[in-house]
Amino acid sequence: MLTQRFGLRYVASGDVLRAARASGTELGNTVKSYLDAGELVPDEVTIQLLLEEIMKDTSGVGVILDGFPRTLAQAKALDQALAERQQRIDVVIELTAPLDVLVERVTGRLICRAAGHIYHERTRPPRVAGKCDIDGSKLYRREDDYPEAIRRRLAIWAEQNEQLVLYYGVESAFFRVDANRAPEVVQSDLAKILIESGLRTVTKEAS
Ligand code: AMP
């Protein structure tokens, strides 16, 4: 929703790392074991892959980052790389929701093979079981969406998050948004923050 409304590029660290896993390279094999266990991929590898992806953007189009940085070392590496290009982070937003809500969302998550459209088996099921409403492609579950790996991911989040909040609370415009509400309501709050931070919308109805 936000990428369309603001004409931004979306870069999710999980997507970048899963693409590396699928590449069949030695690096891909290293990444695989961490991803499948719900462990953080080591900073060195993550920083290299993500900065490469983020810096592809040379056309002046802004980027929404999802899932990166997740550690202090990653945050500092990103800031340094941006500063070298006279670029910076405009806004940092923490989306919050109770842990049981997160577990419920992730355990029911279904993703379409063709374009990554997301469904939920209980709260947002597809019209035809196992098929994407939009492009008809097959729906699958992520390999790390099983209870043990989910718990591990959430435990790691709890360990890392405080440091990041402290860092960005000082370094950037930092906001916290309650994500335990309908997607349209969350999106509207996020859009307000982006507009107040000086970003322009590109679609008519939002301006
Ligand atoms: P996500 O798609 O954001 O849930 O991330 C899925 C998995 O990718 C995580 O459990 C980690 O194994 C890995 N991952 C994603 N982002 C990062 C990051 N910034 N640093 C290290 N590992 C990451």
Side-chain angles (χ1 to χ4, degrees):
M1 287 176 183
L2 291 173
T3 54
Q4 281 173 12
R5 212 163 148 177
F6 290 88
L8 299 168
R9 199 159 67 90
Y10 174 69
V11 175
S13 51
D15 291 347
V16 172
L17 295 168
R18 280 187 290 277
R21 175 178 64 184
S23 68
T25 59
E26 202 177 312
L27 182 70
N29 290 336
T30 310
V31 167
K32 181 177 167 32
S33 56
Y34 295 99
L35 280 176
D36 293 351
E39 295 290 337
L40 286 185
V41 174
D43 279 337
E44 207 184 282
V45 177
T46 306
I47 289 168
Q48 186 200 323
L49 289 171
L50 265 294
L51 288 186
E52 217 173 275
E53 184 64 30
I54 294 163
M55 298 309 169
K56 267 186 195 163
D57 178 28
T58 52
S59 61
V61 174
V63 180
I64 294 187
L65 290 175
D66 175 0
F68 178 85
R70 245 165 156 115
T71 66
L72 198 54
Q74 293 176 13
K76 289 182 175 171
L78 174 63
D79 273 349
Q80 194 189 333
L82 289 174
E84 281 166 13
R85 292 164 179 76
Q86 280 80 49
Q87 293 176 324
R88 66 187 167 81
I89 292 176
D90 293 295
V91 187
V92 177
I93 304 175
E94 182 187 9
L95 296 166
T96 63
L99 285 192
D100 56 336
V101 171
L102 295 177
V103 172
E104 162 69 17
R105 285 185 184 180
V106 170
T107 50
R109 173 158 63 182
L110 300 166
I111 308 170
C112 108
R113 283 251 175 252
H117 299 121
I118 294 188
Y119 299 84
H120 190 282
E121 59 188 5
R122 291 174 291 279
T123 57
R124 201 182 173 200
R127 282 196 295 271
V128 179
K131 275 197 175 177
C132 177
D133 292 352
I134 299 162
D135 54 37
S137 81
K138 239 180 144 180
L139 301 180
Y140 72 97
R141 279 176 198 280
R142 259 170 54 170
E143 284 172 46
D144 58 346
D145 280 352
Y146 62 94
E148 211 176 294
I150 294 165
R151 274 196 291 275
R152 187 68 198 126
R153 274 147 62 196
L154 291 172
I156 292 172
W157 172 84
E159 276 165 28
Q160 300 292 333
N161 193 53
E162 202 177 315
Q163 274 189 321
L164 284 177
V165 168
L166 285 174
Y167 180 74
Y168 282 122
V170 175
E171 295 290 320
S172 307
F174 178 82
F175 299 87
R176 193 169 267 142
V177 170
D178 176 9
N180 191 18
R181 298 174 297 163
E184 296 71 25
V185 181
V186 177
Q187 192 243 165
S188 155
D189 275 8
L190 296 175
K192 268 186 222 146
I193 292 172
L194 298 191
I195 290 167
E196 276 163 23
S197 307
L199 270 80
R200 298 230 178 99
T201 55
V202 294
T203 50
K204 266 200 193 129
E205 90 283 5
S207 55

